[in-house]
Amino acid sequence: MIPPKPPARPGKASVWRFIRDFRRDILSAQSDRLYRAWMAEFRGPFIHSFTCNDPALVELILKKRPMDFPKSPRMAAGLQPLLGNSSFISNGETWLHQRRIIDPAFEGGRLREVFPAMWDAALAGVARLAPLADGTEIDIEPQTSHIAADVIFRTLFSIPIEDATAAQVFQAFRDHQDAQPMVNLGGLMALPRWARLHTRRVRQTARRIRALIRQLVSARAAEIAAGTAPQDLATKIMTTPDPQTGRIFGEAEMIDEVATFFLAGHETGASALAWALYLLAESPDWQDRLAKEARQNLAADFAAIRNLPLARAVFREALRLYPPVAMTVRQCRQTETLRDRKAPRGAQLVLSPWHLHRHERLWDDPDRFDPSRWETENGKACQRDAFIPFSAGPRACPGAGFAMIEGPLILAALVRAYRLEPGRERPVPIMRLTLRGKEGIRLCLSPRQTC
């Protein structure tokens, strides 16, 4: 099955047309040559960029010398009203300090501890969908967003999404997703911070989210002080000192990080899950195989995740075809030579999972949905070199292991309970904060026979 892919721009375009198209739709603004090229240079009056698809360049930037290629403040400009200076967009010593505190919370042993909360969220999601599973066409994105948010609330703050504050945060994030363009034009053009104008709605929704998160963080700080805090991810992060400085997160820092967990965990998880369900709806054979695996092996036991290899393969293939964060941008801290071209200090380096995961010189039949590719030697090689849905190297998402348990678990639970069929219109991928369907992702659900 060849799933939907937005048309790429043929040939070259003027700088102004590129900026206009970039704001409208990042994916279709890109040249069709990026699905074949190892590197592409773009030079304009406001930006000098290199799109890097060569696995050797990706390894250099992300793994070998990551501190020489910090995250670009241009792309971070659009996220600052919500994320402040969190680990998702910070650089240097600030980022190192943040990760020394955050990383221990997502170590393997901690994932086993949060699994029961994931399981409860998955079952709650299955139950929540029951009234909608009558064969009527629905947009599945709000539903996967609800489930993914529930996972975050349960694992981070030990509260279900039905909690009043949790429900308000969830709704505010939906409003922010609708209001926030992926690219802030002022940031793209390297204007000073005061000139990087955000819409009134973006500022309002970001303030609303941060105010609600402040309530959660403040309440947890009081529980920690009283010795009554549950031992969840929030408590772990708020009580872990930086092993080098002994300093713990202050309130403002914790608000930045919680906002990031929602963006990096809730939004990306919802996107990946929605696309995985769509791919299975278009592929009934794979769907039936996964339903059988789930009936036989899915259980409320952390060890059962090992017995869901097909669920993991389907989820990986969804992440390959529809990476939630389709592009990220680093910049050169100093002049570099990239594939015999000079990249000056400050040049923007675009790393595009969207193009890397569909690169015609790296993958067999790259646009086809084929979970079995993860069982082949070529698939395993590409997984090492050209599969970066969570980035790679020291700046890889600390929640990658969390996501690779959460995603297959929820996918298996939903497919075990419901049969999926595609809606009348195929979704059109578009890059907002995460990769979404332009008009949603529409599916029809019906109860699956259990025998």
Side-chain angles (χ1 to χ4, degrees):
M1 189 269 288
I2 304 298
K5 171 184 173 183
R9 173 179 53 80
K12 294 184 178 181
S14 70
V15 172
W16 294 112
R17 180 183 170 187
F18 177 75
I19 290 175
R20 181 200 68 190
D21 293 346
F22 202 77
R23 277 180 59 84
R24 182 183 303 161
D25 176 19
I26 294 177
L27 300 182
S28 58
Q30 306 296 315
S31 170
D32 55 4
R33 291 179 295 178
L34 291 178
Y35 294 107
R36 301 180 297 277
W38 290 129
M39 189 174 78
E41 182 177 6
F42 180 87
R43 189 192 297 264
F46 305 110
I47 189 168
H48 188 182
S49 70
F50 297 82
T51 299
C52 302
N53 287 332
D54 183 344
L57 286 181
V58 174
E59 183 176 24
L60 172 72
I61 295 165
L62 295 182
K63 296 180 180 180
K64 290 184 175 179
R65 293 170 49 204
M67 301 303 284
D68 290 334
F69 302 100
K71 281 209 171 180
S72 169
R74 297 192 184 200
M75 291 298 286
L79 298 172
Q80 282 171 341
L82 176 63
L83 303 187
N85 194 35
S86 80
S87 57
F88 190 75
I89 57 180
S90 64
N91 286 305
E93 288 302 319
T94 298
W95 172 78
L96 288 168
H97 160 68
Q98 291 162 335
R99 288 296 294 262
R100 287 194 294 265
I101 291 175
I102 293 166
D103 286 354
F106 291 93
E107 292 172 348
R110 297 293 301 181
L111 296 181
R112 180 182 293 274
E113 292 173 18
V114 301
F115 179 82
M118 288 187 189
W119 175 262
D120 290 343
L123 295 188
V126 170
R128 200 178 299 115
L129 279 170
L132 304 176
D134 60 359
T136 303
E137 186 175 302
I138 63 169
D139 182 2
I140 200 64
E141 283 189 319
Q143 308 305 322
T144 59
S145 185
H146 204 144
I147 297 171
D150 197 14
V151 171
I152 292 294
F153 282 117
R154 290 174 188 264
T155 57
L156 194 60
F157 286 106
S158 299
I159 56 175
I161 198 170
E162 287 76 16
D163 175 89
T165 303
Q168 290 179 69
V169 174
F170 170 62
Q171 183 57 53
F173 257 90
R174 291 189 64 185
D175 294 341
H176 191 74
Q177 168 89 319
D178 292 339
Q180 174 66 65
M182 179 60 188
V183 178
N184 177 274
L185 186 57
L188 180 66
M189 297 169 65
L191 298 181
R193 185 183 295 269
W194 62 264
R196 298 175 187 180
L197 301 178
H198 299 276
T199 68
R200 182 180 179 184
R201 190 179 174 205
V202 166
R203 296 194 305 271
Q204 287 178 333
T205 53
R207 281 198 300 267
R208 176 65 174 155
I209 292 168
R210 291 179 66 85
L212 290 165
I213 291 173
R214 181 175 287 106
Q215 293 178 24
L216 293 170
V217 170
S218 223
R220 178 51 56 87
E223 291 175 330
I224 291 171
T228 59
Q231 294 303 303
D232 50 24
L233 292 178
T235 297
K236 174 69 174 176
I237 293 166
M238 291 175 70
T239 58
T240 296
D242 181 334
Q244 292 192 13
T245 67
R247 190 165 66 85
I248 62 172
F249 278 154
E251 182 182 83
E253 292 173 298
M254 189 61 186
I255 292 169
D256 288 351
E257 296 306 328
V258 172
T260 295
F261 296 149
F262 274 96
L263 177 65
H266 159 230
E267 290 291 341
T268 59
S271 169
L273 187 57
W275 285 111
L277 292 170
Y278 167 74
L279 291 167
L280 289 172
E282 288 272 18
S283 307
D285 290 345
W286 283 111
Q287 182 184 161
D288 289 343
R289 288 175 59 185
L290 179 50
K292 180 180 179 181
E293 176 184 87
R295 284 196 303 270
Q296 293 175 345
N297 300 322
L298 185 62
D301 181 355
F302 183 75
I305 292 296
R306 293 197 300 266
N307 299 322
L308 298 172
L310 181 54
R312 291 198 303 275
V314 168
F315 195 68
R316 284 194 185 102
E317 186 71 342
L319 288 169
R320 184 186 73 82
L321 287 168
Y322 298 105
V325 180
M327 293 181 187
T328 186
V329 184
R330 302 297 183 90
Q331 69 178 21
C332 293
R333 196 175 67 176
Q334 60 197 21
T335 299
E336 300 282 352
T337 299
L338 307 175
R339 292 185 62 86
D340 299 325
R341 291 193 190 182
K342 289 292 183 183
R345 181 177 181 270
Q348 306 297 289
L349 307 181
V350 181
L351 302 175
S352 174
W354 176 266
H355 294 98
L356 193 64
H357 292 184
R358 293 173 178 261
H359 204 280
E360 296 168 7
R361 296 159 75 177
L362 292 169
W363 300 87
D364 294 331
D365 204 357
D367 291 331
R368 184 164 61 94
F369 173 64
D370 180 15
S372 68
R373 73 174 71 243
W374 298 102
E375 301 171 355
T376 67
E377 287 305 314
N378 183 50
K380 292 174 183 177
C382 284
Q383 184 179 7
R384 290 191 298 271
D385 302 330
F387 182 65
I388 54 169
F390 306 108
S391 190
R395 292 207 70 145
C397 174
F402 183 105
M404 287 308 301
I405 295 171
E406 172 196 11
L409 169 66
I410 297 173
L411 190 62
L414 292 176
V415 174
R416 181 177 67 173
Y418 302 114
R419 181 172 297 280
L420 314 169
E421 295 180 0
R424 291 184 298 275
E425 299 291 334
R426 301 188 98 196
V428 177
I430 187 170
M431 191 67 204
R432 294 194 177 109
L433 281 178
T434 51
L435 192 69
R436 297 292 187 141
K438 186 175 183 180
E439 303 296 336
I441 299 176
R442 304 196 68 82
L443 301 179
C444 301
L445 279 64
S446 57
R448 184 180 288 276
Q449 298 297 324
T450 58
C451 58

